[in-house]
Amino acid sequence: MDDSSMVGLLGRVTGTVGPGLVGEVIVQIRGGAEHFLAHPASPGVRIEPGTVVTVIEYLPPRTVYVSPAYDS
């Protein structure tokens, strides 16, 4: 998988993503679902579990930067 194929995928937060935290998201990819360590794409943003997010940046092998997919 190349790095750009992760960007733009939707995932769901399973562990709070926020400043000073290493959160977790689950993303459907490669015919299944995989967990990735996650950081907020925008500094200071806190994203709670259950929130649908978009992958903004992917750092192999298991880290993503995410942003909420929908406005609240």
Side-chain angles (χ1 to χ4, degrees), residues 12-52:
R12 186 169 304 275
V13 175
T14 55
T16 303
V17 176
L21 301 172
V22 177
E24 183 181 63
V25 298
I26 188 166
V27 178
Q28 289 189 343
I29 190 163
R30 294 187 273 260
E34 298 183 21
H35 290 266
F36 293 86
L37 299 177
H39 299 278
S42 300
V45 173
R46 184 178 178 96
I47 308 170
E48 299 297 330
T51 303
V52 176

Side-chain angles (χ1 to χ4, degrees), residues 36-69:
F36 293 86
L37 299 177
H39 299 278
S42 300
V45 173
R46 184 178 178 96
I47 308 170
E48 299 297 330
T51 303
V52 176
V53 293
T54 302
V55 176
I56 303 300
E57 186 176 354
Y58 170 59
L59 301 175
R62 308 291 311 163
T63 302
V64 293
Y65 283 78
V66 298
S67 183

